[in-house]
Structures are given as structure tokens and as C-alpha cells.
């Protein structure tokens, strides 16, 4: 699928290596993105680890129905549809 560049969420450690995004960081980023681009009809549901470098994030309606599953790169490289 086609990804979206994140821009935010990338932090640097002391040695210059990027710090991986936490599940809370991913939830906050996706929540902000949804509020800005979609509105209040959807929200972040369950989040799961997809290996070392990504989270799976469910986008759900306000009543909990699944809308979309996204993969969020923990290094800040993008977001992709995964279903």
C-alpha cells in the first residue's frame, strides 16, 4: 500500500540513532492525524506490535466498529494500510 510520511514522532538518542516510537506515541500520533483529517467519527482502537519496527493500529468508529487497520513504523518512516 501507499504510505504517509509521518514527520513527527522521531526522537534522537544521545548517539544519533533514532529512538523507536512507543505504543503511546503511535496512539497519540494516529489520534492527532485522525482528528485533523477525518474528524471525530473515528478513533484509535487496539494497538499491537508487528515485529520490531511497527505497530498495528485499528481505526474504529466511535461505537467500536472496525474501519481500517494501519501499520505504523516505529522509526517514524510512515503509515500503511494493512487490510
Amino acid at each position: 500500500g501507499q504510505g504517509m510520511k509521518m514527520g513527527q514522532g522521531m526522537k534522537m538518542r544521545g548517539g544519533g540513532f533514532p529512538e523507536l516510537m512507543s505504543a503511546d506515541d503511535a496512539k497519540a500520533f494516529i489520534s492527532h492525524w485522525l482528528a485533523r483529517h477525518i474528524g471525530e467519527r473515528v478513533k484509535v482502537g487496539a494497538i499491537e506490535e508487528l515485529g520490531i519496527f511497527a505497530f498495528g493500529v485499528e481505526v474504529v468508529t466511535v461505537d467500536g466498529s472496525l474501519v481500517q487497520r494501519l501499520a505504523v513504523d516505529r522509526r517514524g518512516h510512515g503509515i500503511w494500510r494493512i487490510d
Side-chain angles (χ1 to χ4, degrees):
Q2 191 166 356
M4 296 170 270
K5 187 138 176 110
M6 292 178 68
Q8 287 183 296
M10 191 73 151
K11 301 173 193 164
M12 298 303 277
R13 287 192 199 145
F17 295 102
E19 182 178 323
L20 295 179
M21 200 183 297
S22 69
D24 288 338
D25 292 337
K27 182 176 182 174
F29 177 78
I30 296 297
S31 293
H32 175 76
W33 188 89
L34 290 171
R36 184 171 180 175
H37 296 283
I38 308 296
E40 296 181 7
R41 302 180 312 263
V42 295
K43 63 182 182 176
V44 173
I47 297 178
E48 65 178 326
E49 285 194 23
L50 299 177
I52 297 171
F53 294 113
F55 287 110
V57 178
E58 290 185 351
V59 177
V60 298
T61 62
V62 292
D63 66 358
S65 299
L66 180 64
V67 174
Q68 181 73 56
R69 285 184 35 85
L70 303 172
V72 179
D73 188 299
R74 293 183 69 188
R75 298 163 293 182
H77 294 176
I79 305 167
W80 295 268
R81 291 176 49 185
I82 56 174
D83 57 304

